[in-house]
Amino acid sequence: MQKFLVHLRRHSRSAMATGDTDLGSKQQPNRSLDFILQGKVYIEELPPDIEPIRSFLEKYSGIRAKDVDDHIHQIRDRLWDIYPYVCIGHFRFLSLKFTLDPRYQVALNRLLAPKSETTFLDVGCCVGQVLRRLAFDGVVSSRLYGTDLEPRFLDAGYDLFKDRHKLKATFVAGDMLSQGGENGDGDESLKVLDGKMTIIHATSFFHLFTWENQIRAARRMVRFLDPHDPDVMIFGRHVGSTAPGDREGSKGSKRFLHNAASWQELWDEVGRLTGTAWRTEVDEIQEPGMHPDGNIDETLRRIRFGVFRV
């Protein structure tokens, strides 16, 4: 059955390509990322910015170039069957654009420093692509950690990158928003990470939640951090807005989107609740594909952020 599906997918893509050729000299639509994603939450065509992960899978995972695209589709569809996030439907879970963030380079330099004991946690890590990139860049993988609500995403990561017996990173499935456990301390499985982390990364994470749940998740992150290290850092990216406030999410859910001022306010509140103090940074990113689901909210922005102890 699996071979049949692969053959069917190859035939479908081949037919699409032939159809384009048959149009001859007629003007073709712009196959930009914006065009491909327009009004869709699931796309069959690999986006034009997929090349970095193709190369990475060849070099890190040893997958033959001719097999990479089918491998990507197989894993994407497996993830989609688990949960149909837009980032999965659009292949964004494979993006390596986080390497362009200057804070990633800061994290990498600290992890690679001689005799470094720096630890790195990726929150909402999905298939663990960030950790694999750090390992490829030379970081000792035993100092890398990832957590996600969905354990099947973590398991799929091993199959995507074919490193189940090579990668020494620690993955923990757990709920960042849980208020259960003894004394309401949250998900018991996450306690193994408490007080051990130097750097936390969180991409496409905060914008999924309400203000209250963002506070809850941020407080959990503070618990993960080494309380004695003044140089701890949290960084990542998410969707923000020039008009911060609540937005309607999928299936009627609510989520809060930030600008620079509201992001600092959130961390000021986290500081008050945890007896800590935080300074934030926010950079706006200019990228295509900002309204892939037909949303016409022109206030939406993609932003990178940093959070630092003061």
Side-chain angles (χ1 to χ4, degrees):
M1 176 61 73
Q2 188 64 45
K3 290 182 178 179
F4 172 75
L5 291 175
V6 170
H7 175 76
L8 185 63
R9 180 173 287 120
R10 282 176 175 162
H11 176 75
S12 175
R13 290 204 295 272
S14 176
M16 288 172 61
T18 302
D20 287 346
T21 302
D22 290 346
L23 292 175
S25 59
K26 292 181 181 179
Q27 185 176 0
Q28 298 298 302
N30 176 17
R31 307 302 291 177
S32 67
L33 184 60
D34 282 322
F35 176 84
I36 293 171
L37 300 184
Q38 188 175 16
K40 303 171 185 174
V41 295
Y42 178 98
I43 61 172
E44 180 66 27
E45 181 180 352
L46 290 173
D49 60 352
I50 203 72
E51 189 55 40
I53 196 66
R54 278 195 182 114
S55 177
F56 184 75
L57 287 169
E58 291 174 35
K59 295 175 182 177
Y60 175 84
S61 306
I63 300 172
R64 295 180 298 180
K66 69 183 186 69
D67 297 329
V68 166
D69 285 7
D70 287 325
H71 181 65
I72 288 173
H73 275 97
Q74 290 169 23
I75 297 295
R76 191 281 298 269
D77 289 349
R78 173 177 162 186
L79 298 175
W80 181 263
D81 287 342
I82 295 170
Y83 199 93
Y85 289 116
V86 173
C87 65
I88 291 172
H90 289 176
F91 297 97
R92 288 206 305 268
F93 70 99
L94 294 172
S95 173
L96 300 181
K97 290 180 180 178
F98 57 84
T99 60
L100 302 177
D101 188 339
R103 299 174 192 92
Y104 174 84
Q105 295 301 321
V106 171
L108 179 60
N109 290 339
R110 291 175 62 180
L111 287 159
L112 292 177
K115 299 181 180 179
S116 173
E117 296 183 355
T118 297
T119 51
F120 183 102
L121 171 65
D122 191 18
V123 171
C125 66
C126 193
V127 293
Q129 67 274 21
V130 175
L131 304 188
R132 267 76 179 199
R133 179 68 207 202
L134 287 168
F136 181 74
D137 284 340
V139 176
V140 176
S141 62
S142 61
R143 288 190 278 121
L144 303 176
Y145 298 78
T147 184
D148 199 278
L149 177 64
E150 177 50 73
R152 290 173 292 178
F153 286 174
L154 304 179
D155 189 61
Y158 287 114
D159 294 332
L160 172 62
F161 295 104
K162 297 185 177 296
D163 60 358
R164 192 177 298 271
H165 303 296
K166 177 176 68 174
L167 187 74
K168 303 303 181 185
T170 299
F171 291 99
V172 181
D175 185 354
M176 291 286 293
L177 305 181
S178 172
Q179 299 184 79
E182 294 182 15
N183 304 316
D185 287 340
D187 194 323
E188 294 283 336
S189 63
L190 295 176
K191 286 187 175 181
V192 67
L193 305 173
D194 285 355
K196 295 181 179 178
M197 299 302 133
T198 313
I199 300 170
I200 294 177
H201 176 259
T203 281
S204 298
F205 179 76
F206 280 98
H207 67 215
L208 299 174
F209 308 121
T210 62
W211 176 280
E212 292 76 16
N213 280 341
Q214 289 178 20
I215 292 288
R216 191 168 293 131
R219 292 179 67 183
R220 198 68 184 83
M221 290 184 189
V222 171
R223 285 174 53 191
F224 291 150
L225 293 169
D226 182 346
H228 306 297
D229 189 339
D231 297 320
V232 295
M233 175 176 73
I234 301 170
F235 78 103
R237 55 183 275 166
H238 50 224
V239 175
S241 174
T242 58
D246 291 322
R247 296 294 194 281
E248 194 80 17
S250 62
K251 299 179 181 178
S253 62
K254 295 289 186 181
R255 56 181 184 157
F256 191 97
L257 301 185
H258 290 277
N259 66 3
S262 67
W263 186 239
Q264 181 64 58
E265 289 173 10
L266 180 110
W267 283 94
D268 287 343
E269 184 171 343
V270 171
R272 287 191 293 270
L273 293 170
T274 59
T276 56
W278 304 93
R279 172 182 63 84
T280 66
E281 297 174 349
V282 167
D283 312 312
E284 186 176 315
I285 313 168
Q286 296 294 333
E287 283 185 354
M290 194 65 248
H291 305 94
D293 57 357
N295 190 319
I296 58 173
D297 185 347
E298 295 299 329
T299 72
L300 297 184
R301 300 290 186 271
R302 284 204 177 99
I303 58 176
R304 297 187 187 122
F305 64 84
V307 182
F308 307 90
R309 177 173 281 158
V310 295

